[in-house]
Amino acid sequence: MFIGLLSDTHGRFDKEFRDFLSPVDEIWHAGDFGGGLVTAAEIADFKPLKGVSGNCDDRILIYDYPEYRFWECEGLKVLMMHIGGSPGHYNPRARSLILQYEPDIFICGHSHILKVMRDSNFGFIYINPGAAGIQGWQTVRTALRFHIDSGQLHDLEVFNLPK
């Protein structure tokens, strides 16, 4: 599977992001779609979409994009939520879900800070794709894409767009 990962679009899904994500099989979104149902529908019309609702999202999104999501992809267990914290600083809800599901990949958004690292305490890959939207304090808008095959995440690429 070739995966595109976004977060914190806050109502924006610009051409540059579409171009970067055009070869992926599926897009995962770590919350704060923005724009009510419109932005989520725009992304879902572009590529198959898995996502979670964020703290700035219209509550109607929760029917299709729950607070958290757990699934398996090509032999890896994936846990995604919007507000999770970061290695060594997970919030209580994230920590509880991590202990319950024991993911291989933990994805969250919210901070607008791009970070990919191994959490040696829990033994998973932590991914925060940063923010693809223009709302917030970040100076660069970001997205990721990577491959997952036979239980391995590889060939991760970062897309940067000046704000």
Side-chain angles (χ1 to χ4, degrees):
M1 287 285 288
F2 195 12
I3 306 299
L5 181 59
L6 297 169
S7 187
D8 297 278
T9 47
H10 293 285
R12 302 291 297 254
F13 188 51
D14 300 309
K15 179 188 180 313
E16 294 88 348
F17 286 93
R18 280 190 197 87
D19 291 345
F20 176 71
L21 297 172
S22 66
V24 305
D25 300 313
E26 192 169 78
I27 294 176
W28 299 350
H29 194 295
D32 276 359
F33 287 94
L37 296 171
V38 174
T39 306
E42 184 180 359
I43 297 168
D45 287 345
F46 178 67
K47 293 285 180 175
L49 175 64
K50 279 188 176 86
V52 294
S53 291
N55 61 304
C56 293
D57 285 324
D58 189 315
R59 297 316 304 160
I60 196 161
L61 278 173
I62 206 148
Y63 295 107
D64 292 319
Y65 307 102
E67 170 195 353
Y68 74 90
R69 184 169 251 162
F70 176 77
W71 71 97
E72 288 195 29
C73 178
E74 298 290 324
L76 293 178
K77 298 180 292 184
V78 181
L79 175 63
M80 182 166 58
M81 64 191 308
H82 183 59
I83 302 175
S86 61
H89 305 283
Y90 297 115
N91 68 39
R93 179 72 170 139
R95 186 172 176 76
S96 174
L97 291 169
I98 289 165
L99 292 171
Q100 178 182 349
Y101 290 108
E102 299 179 345
D104 299 303
I105 303 171
F106 177 60
I107 299 169
C108 62
H110 185 64
S111 71
H112 294 213
I113 299 170
L114 172 67
K115 185 182 281 190
V116 179
M117 64 183 288
R118 176 160 296 283
D119 182 316
S120 57
N121 187 42
F122 287 105
F124 56 66
I125 298 168
Y126 169 89
I127 304 176
N128 185 321
I134 60 173
Q135 181 177 333
W137 58 268
Q138 77 281 359
T139 58
V140 177
R141 301 164 62 196
T142 55
L144 301 173
R145 63 185 185 190
F146 50 86
H147 294 270
I148 297 179
D149 298 303
S150 304
Q152 297 294 318
L153 185 153
H154 59 90
D155 296 327
L156 186 137
E157 299 172 80
V158 177
F159 177 71
N160 291 300
L161 182 66
K163 190 169 164 185

